[in-house]
Amino acid sequence: MAITLQDIAWHRTIGNLIEALDAPNFWIALVRQLEHYLPFDSWVILLFSAGRPLVFAESPTEDGGPDPLFQDYLQGLYLLDPFYIASREHPRSGLFRLDDVAPEYFEQTDYFQRYFRLNVVADEVQLNCNLDSERTLCLSLGSRQRFTLEQMGILSLIQSWVMALMRQRLAFEQERSTPPAPPWQQQFEATSQRSDTALTARELEVGRLMLSGCSGKEIARKLDISVETVKVHRKHMYAKLGIKSQSELFAIFLQAQQQT
């Protein structure tokens, strides 16, 4: 069987990445190799768990400083992230596109309008390595353009060696404890200052799912309740918080995260 120049280049790429597994710049080296296969505008490697996401590396901003929008994400907006929610509800390894995990009304949410389309812009894919029942190692790629079917096909083709390298790299990461999840439920209520009666756990969960873009039917399915019960929880929550719209609910949620 004849060996092509592309075969030689591929073997050299894998060899160089294996050699760099214990190097501080491994994640950048991996991302640079991925840029040979498809274009993307932003990237981040993080660990999803029960607490706040743990970031191992991320694409730099133009001025080299921290991205304020991404800091908002780490503070608490990740709780509305379709990829985070999917990793917690159905942890599994593989290649996932935003369309695979986004709820029905995601693009209509304040989270999408005020964070996602400004930070990620148009499309996002993730290569997920499910480590155990609690942890998922993720490589996220964001793009200003929709990823094409051909680009998704290439990612599907190379995902096995990319994910294998991601798993191996984890052994060389400095052991860090996962930041605790913010007490958003308590802050959510305290921020309002309008609720004489505390929100129930179910009302809080309905509110979070609403903000993430889930329809009444999706919330009912996730929580194993009826659509009518979802409406009742929403009505009670709005009354307790003294609000009338989902945008007001998001404003309270966002303010609560900024105070944690």
Side-chain angles (χ1 to χ4, degrees):
M1 182 178 66
I3 297 179
T4 67
L5 290 177
Q6 285 183 329
D7 293 329
I8 295 173
W10 182 83
H11 285 289
R12 182 179 293 126
T13 293
I14 298 300
N16 289 340
L17 287 172
I18 292 174
E19 187 69 26
L21 270 170
D22 61 346
N25 67 336
F26 168 78
W27 293 118
I28 293 177
L30 176 60
V31 168
R32 285 175 178 169
Q33 290 302 329
L34 288 177
E35 287 176 331
H36 292 302
Y37 293 95
L38 78 162
F40 48 88
D41 299 295
S42 62
W43 58 271
V44 63
I45 292 93
L46 39 72
L47 187 69
F48 283 154
S49 68
R52 283 180 171 143
L54 188 61
V55 178
F56 292 131
E58 62 181 294
S59 52
T61 59
E62 292 183 1
D63 61 3
D67 184 346
L69 284 174
F70 190 58
Q71 295 307 306
D72 287 341
Y73 175 86
L74 295 175
Q75 251 337 84
L77 283 180
Y78 70 87
L79 291 166
L80 308 181
D81 177 14
F83 286 103
Y84 173 81
I85 294 171
S87 77
R88 301 300 299 158
E89 293 181 347
H90 307 289
R92 53 198 174 108
S93 298
L95 171 63
F96 301 95
R97 190 173 188 169
L98 179 63
D99 290 346
D100 299 328
V101 297
E104 185 175 354
Y105 297 139
F106 177 63
E107 293 188 3
Q108 300 176 27
T109 63
D110 287 273
Y111 170 73
F112 177 86
Q113 296 294 332
R114 296 172 59 178
Y115 172 79
F116 188 91
R117 72 181 183 88
L118 299 178
N119 201 42
V120 181
V121 182
D123 206 357
E124 183 178 9
V125 296
Q126 278 195 1
L127 286 166
N128 287 358
C129 296
N130 182 229
L131 305 174
D132 51 45
S133 61
E134 286 295 319
R135 301 179 304 152
T136 301
L137 179 63
C138 310
L139 167 57
S140 175
L141 305 175
S143 174
R144 295 189 182 96
Q145 305 293 329
R146 292 271 300 172
F147 289 107
T148 66
L149 290 177
E150 181 182 2
Q151 291 166 348
M152 293 302 297
I154 292 173
L155 269 178
S156 296
L157 193 62
I158 67 176
Q159 67 171 310
S160 58
W161 63 260
V162 175
M163 290 168 59
L165 287 168
M166 290 170 61
R167 287 181 183 274
Q168 293 300 315
R169 168 62 187 184
L170 202 58
F172 299 101
E173 287 292 339
Q174 291 185 352
E175 187 171 344
R176 289 180 283 171
S177 58
T178 303
W184 70 274
Q185 293 93 333
Q186 292 85 353
Q187 287 295 131
F188 189 77
E189 292 181 322
T191 302
S192 170
Q193 299 295 323
R194 286 171 285 182
S195 178
D196 296 327
T197 306
L199 297 177
T200 66
R202 182 51 57 89
E203 288 166 351
L204 285 163
E205 191 63 13
V206 167
R208 185 183 66 83
L209 290 172
M210 284 172 51
L211 292 176
S212 71
C214 290
S215 66
K217 289 183 179 179
E218 287 176 312
I219 296 173
R221 177 178 53 79
K222 287 175 179 286
L223 301 182
D224 195 24
I225 57 179
S226 70
V227 175
E228 289 304 315
T229 301
V230 172
K231 293 178 180 178
V232 170
H233 286 311
R234 181 180 61 191
K235 180 180 178 181
H236 289 170
M237 178 174 53
Y238 279 17
K240 290 177 180 180
L241 294 175
I243 60 177
K244 296 182 180 180
S245 70
Q246 192 164 307
S247 291
E248 290 179 282
L249 184 66
F250 180 78
I252 295 174
F253 179 89
L254 188 62
Q255 187 178 353
Q257 308 320 307
Q258 293 169 346
Q259 294 181 8
T260 58

